[in-house]
Amino acid sequence: MEKHSIGKLALFALIGLVALPLAARGEGVEIARAQAVTAAHGMVVAQEALAARVGADILQRGGNAVDAAVAVGFAMAVTYPRAGNLGGGGFMVIHRSGGEDTAIDYRETAPAAINKTSFLDAQGNADPQKSRDSALAIGVPGTVAGLALAEEKYGSGHFKLADLIAPAIALARDGITVADDTADSLPVDRPRLARWPSSAQIFLKPDGSALAQGDRLVQPELANTLQVIAAGGPRAFYEGETAQKLAAAVQAAGGVMTVDDLKAYRAIERAPVRGSYRGYDIVSMPPPSSGGVALVEMLNILEGYDLAHADRTQALFLMIEAMKRAYADRAFFLGDPDVVKVPVARLISKSYAGEWRATIDPAHATAAKDIHPNAAPLQSEGRNTTHFSVIDGFGNAVSNTYTLNFSYGVGVVAAGTGILLNNELDDFAAKADAPNAYGLLGFAANAPGPGKRPLSSMTPTIVLKDGKPYLVTGTPGGSRIISAVLQVVVGVIDRGMDIASAVSAPRVHHQWMPDQVWAEPALPSDLVAALQARGDTVTVQKFPTSANSILATPSGFAGAADPRTRGSLAVGY
Ligand code: DON
C-alpha cells in the first residue's frame, strides 16, 4: 500500500478563467489565457469546480490518482450533467508509479437488437433523427463499470468504492447551485430536455424555463441510484431494479435496450496505444477510440520535421497535413477491435508515417481527395464530453475523458433513476460515407452492430519523460479532440510552451473530410491568410474543446484549466 505524508496542506484553487489576454493578436476575439496553478503533491484539473475539489480532497486524504479520478467521475455525474455521467461512457488511461500503463475502455455498447440498418430511413439513407435524437441512439452505459473496475484494480486500497461515491451522493441529495457552464448550456439544451417529463422535472422550472445561474439543482433520485451502487457495487446498476428502470425507460422512449444488454455489459482493460515522440513516450487510448492511433500517427509524421524552428505558419501547415492523413485512416480502418481487425501496429509505425511524409508537399496543401490511405485490407472478424487530468505524489497519473455524446445526451432521464442517457450510437457510421454529427465519415469498420462499441475520438493521453508522467491531457470536442490534443503535445514539446500557453493557444483543425481547415477566431489573420495561400480553405469558428491538463515541471505540477468553457478549475496541494 502506498503511504504518503501530506504534511501541511495549503489547498489552493484558481478558476482557469483569469482573463489575461494572449500576446497581442491583432484579432478581435481572444481566448482568455489559462492561469497555471502549481502544487507539490498532487493536482486535479476538471471542468467543474466542486468535482475538482472532491478529487483534490481524496488526494489530500492519502488517495492515489485513481481514487481521486473515480471520485471526480462520480461527482461530475451530479455536478456537470451536460457531460459527467452514469448514463454514458468513456476511457481512462492510467500510468502507475511502478511504470505500468493501462487503459480502461468503458465505452457504451450497442444493444443486441441494433444492426446495420438501425439508423437508416425507409429509402435506405442515413437518418440522423434516429441516430441523434431518438432512444434508438442510446448505448448501454459503461461509466459505472469502468470507474468500478479502475478502482478495484488500481485504487490505493485506502478507500472503498462507497467512500468515493459518498461525495457525489451528498451533492445530489443536498443540491448544488447552478453556475458556470451548466448555467450557460441549460438554456441552449432546454428544448431537448423539455420533451421528457422525467428530465424537465430535474432541469427545468415549473414554467418550463431552464434552471438559471444561482438556482438549486437537487437530484434525489440520482442520489438514490448512487446509494444503490455504493451499497451493492456496480452489478447493482447492471442488474436488478436499476437495470429494469433503465431498460423500461429506454423502451418507453422507443429504444431497444433490454435488461439482458445491461447485464452483459463489461468494461474492458486494454493495452494503451504507445508511441514515441522526440524522446518522450506517448501513452494514449487504443480502439475503440481512434484518438491514440491518430495522435501517434500524426506525431510520427511530424517527427520528421523541425517544428521547434519552423515558423508558425509552416508548423501549422505541417500539422494540418498530418491531420488530413490520420483522419483519413481513421475513417477507413478504425472501429471496435473486438469486432473488426484494426491495423494498429501498421498505422502507428514510423515506417507508415514515412510513407505519408513522402506525400506531403511542404509548400502546397494536399487536397483531401488526393489522400489515399493504404494501411491494410480490412478482414472481418468475429455534444458533450468532459476531460479531467489527475496526478498524485506517488508517481501515478490518470487521464479520463467521458461523455454522453451530445450535451445532456439524448435528453432523456430514465424515470426513477435520475440518470441522463447518451446518444452515443451516432458515433457509428450509420451508412458508409454518411457523416456523423461531427462530420466524420466511416465505412465498414465502424458500421453499427449488436454489442459493438462505436468508434470514438476521445484521446485521454499521458506523455512520459524518462518513464515518469510529464504531461496529462485530453479534451472534449467530437472530431476536434484528436487535433486539439496534438496541438497541446506539440505546443509543450516542440514550441516550449508552458502548460497555460499550450492550453490557451488558438487551435486549428482538419479532419480529412470535409476538405477544410477550421481555425479558432483568435488565430491571427495573417496566419489564416498564409494557410489559404498554400491552398487550404479556412473557416474561422469557435471550437468546443477544453483541454484540462497538467505538466510536471521542476517547480512542481502545473495545472491549466482550459479557459474556453466557464467553470473549469485546477486544484493542487
Ligand atoms: O466519442 C466521441 O468521439 C464523441 N462521442 C465525443 C463527443 C464530444 O466530444 C462532444 N463534446 N463536445
Side-chain angles (χ1 to χ4, degrees):
M1 281 216 304
E2 286 157 318
K3 286 216 174 79
H4 186 54
S5 110
I6 294 164
K8 265 196 180 167
L9 300 174
L11 184 72
F12 51 97
L14 260 176
I15 303 270
L17 268 174
V18 181
L20 300 176
L22 286 170
R25 285 279 172 249
E27 285 299 289
V29 186
E30 289 177 344
I31 298 166
R33 191 186 188 286
Q35 175 71 50
V37 171
T38 51
H41 303 291
M43 174 80 67
V44 178
V45 190
Q47 188 55 56
E48 195 285 320
L50 293 166
R53 290 196 180 96
V54 163
D57 181 57
I58 296 292
L59 291 178
Q60 280 189 296
R61 288 161 57 195
N64 71 11
V66 175
D67 299 329
V70 169
V72 173
F74 280 108
M76 285 186 86
V78 177
T79 62
Y80 195 61
R82 171 180 194 173
N85 67 80
L86 302 185
F91 302 121
M92 182 183 287
V93 173
I94 301 171
H95 173 82
R96 302 187 74 206
S97 54
E100 186 193 336
D101 300 300
T102 191
I104 309 284
D105 163 6
Y106 57 99
R107 182 71 160 166
E108 299 92 328
T109 53
I114 293 292
N115 59 46
K116 276 186 183 152
T117 63
S118 295
F119 304 109
L120 303 182
D121 64 17
Q123 285 71 47
N125 297 317
D127 183 347
Q129 197 279 330
K130 283 187 179 168
S131 65
R132 292 170 205 172
D133 211 22
S134 87
L136 266 186
I138 300 171
V140 183
T143 298
V144 173
L147 296 181
L149 178 63
E151 180 54 25
E152 182 196 324
K153 291 200 73 172
Y154 301 114
S156 65
H158 293 302
F159 296 89
K160 296 194 193 71
L161 185 64
D163 300 330
L164 304 174
I165 300 176
I169 296 173
L171 289 161
R173 185 154 288 149
D174 302 344
I176 59 170
T177 303
V178 172
D180 296 320
D181 189 41
T182 302
D184 292 341
S185 61
L186 270 176
V188 177
D189 293 300
R190 190 203 66 81
R192 290 174 48 250
L193 294 162
R195 294 175 305 177
W196 311 96
S198 52
S199 310
Q201 191 191 331
I202 299 167
F203 298 109
L204 309 186
K205 299 182 201 176
D207 70 359
S209 63
L211 293 184
Q213 182 96 18
D215 288 339
R216 298 293 292 170
L217 171 60
V218 189
Q219 301 177 79
E221 287 181 334
L222 186 56
N224 289 343
T225 301
L226 285 161
Q227 185 59 57
V228 166
I229 302 165
R235 295 320 298 170
F237 175 88
Y238 289 99
E239 294 175 42
E241 207 180 313
T242 303
Q244 282 158 16
K245 284 181 187 165
L246 287 168
V250 172
Q251 288 169 25
V256 292
M257 190 191 298
T258 64
V259 286
D260 287 343
D261 291 322
L262 284 152
K263 193 173 172 185
Y265 186 86
R266 294 289 181 277
I268 300 174
E269 186 169 6
R270 300 187 187 274
V273 163
R274 296 188 74 92
S276 65
Y277 185 62
R278 304 195 203 280
Y280 295 83
D281 292 309
I282 310 295
V283 181
S284 191
M285 196 65 213
S289 180
S290 59
V293 169
L295 176 67
V296 170
E297 186 178 336
M298 291 189 288
L299 290 171
N300 283 342
I301 293 172
L302 293 169
E303 208 174 32
Y305 303 99
D306 183 4
L307 292 189
H309 298 102
D311 71 37
R312 198 153 168 229
T313 305
Q314 187 64 8
L316 283 177
F317 172 81
L318 291 168
M319 282 197 273
I320 289 164
E321 290 302 302
M323 288 174 199
K324 291 174 186 173
R325 287 155 176 84
Y327 276 84
D329 280 326
R330 176 196 195 282
F332 281 99
F333 302 114
L334 296 190
D336 182 347
D338 296 338
V339 181
V340 296
K341 183 132 180 69
V342 183
V344 172
R346 170 135 169 84
L347 291 170
I348 64 170
S349 67
K350 300 280 183 196
S351 61
Y352 187 65
E355 290 170 34
W356 270 137
R357 237 181 348 258
T359 70
I360 295 176
D361 175 343
H364 297 103
T366 310
K369 66 174 173 41
D370 296 330
I371 289 172
H372 303 293
N374 179 29
L378 276 175
Q379 303 157 28
S380 204
E381 275 186 7
R383 151 164 45 186
N384 215 281
T385 306
T386 190
H387 176 81
F388 53 86
S389 299
V390 185
I391 201 159
D392 65 26
F394 309 116
N396 307 295
V398 171
S399 185
N400 189 93
T401 315
Y402 71 158
T403 188
L404 292 165
N405 195 27
F406 283 15
S407 204
Y408 303 93
V410 77
V412 183
V413 167
T417 70
I419 296 175
L420 262 171
L421 294 164
N422 67 83
N423 60 350
E424 213 72 60
L425 303 192
D426 185 60
D427 280 348
F428 282 124
K431 189 180 179 190
D433 221 8
N436 75 357
Y438 307 100
L440 290 166
L441 300 184
F443 301 92
N446 191 30
K452 200 173 169 187
R453 285 158 146 90
L455 184 62
S456 173
S457 300
M458 291 187 284
T459 314
T461 298
I462 300 174
V463 178
L464 307 174
K465 186 181 181 183
D466 303 325
K468 297 200 167 64
Y470 177 60
L471 171 63
V472 188
T473 189
T475 178
S479 57
R480 285 158 177 72
I481 291 173
I482 317 171
S483 54
V485 171
L486 173 75
Q487 287 165 87
V488 173
V489 173
V490 167
V492 168
I493 294 182
D494 291 295
R495 311 296 287 184
M497 290 176 171
D498 59 47
I499 193 63
S501 305
V503 164
S504 310
R507 298 178 181 134
V508 295
H509 173 70
H510 197 299
Q511 59 186 52
W512 172 58
M513 292 286 185
D515 188 1
Q516 67 165 85
V517 176
W518 282 271
E520 285 190 304
L523 197 77
S525 52
D526 56 325
L527 285 182
V528 172
L531 293 172
Q532 282 168 328
R534 288 168 191 228
D536 276 316
T537 305
V538 184
T539 299
V540 175
Q541 202 180 65
K542 283 176 97 174
F543 285 20
T545 51
S546 186
N548 298 312
S549 306
I550 301 170
L551 188 67
T553 76
S555 48
F557 301 126
D562 197 312
R564 288 169 180 76
T565 311
R566 285 214 296 152
S568 53
L569 184 73
V571 192
Y573 76 92

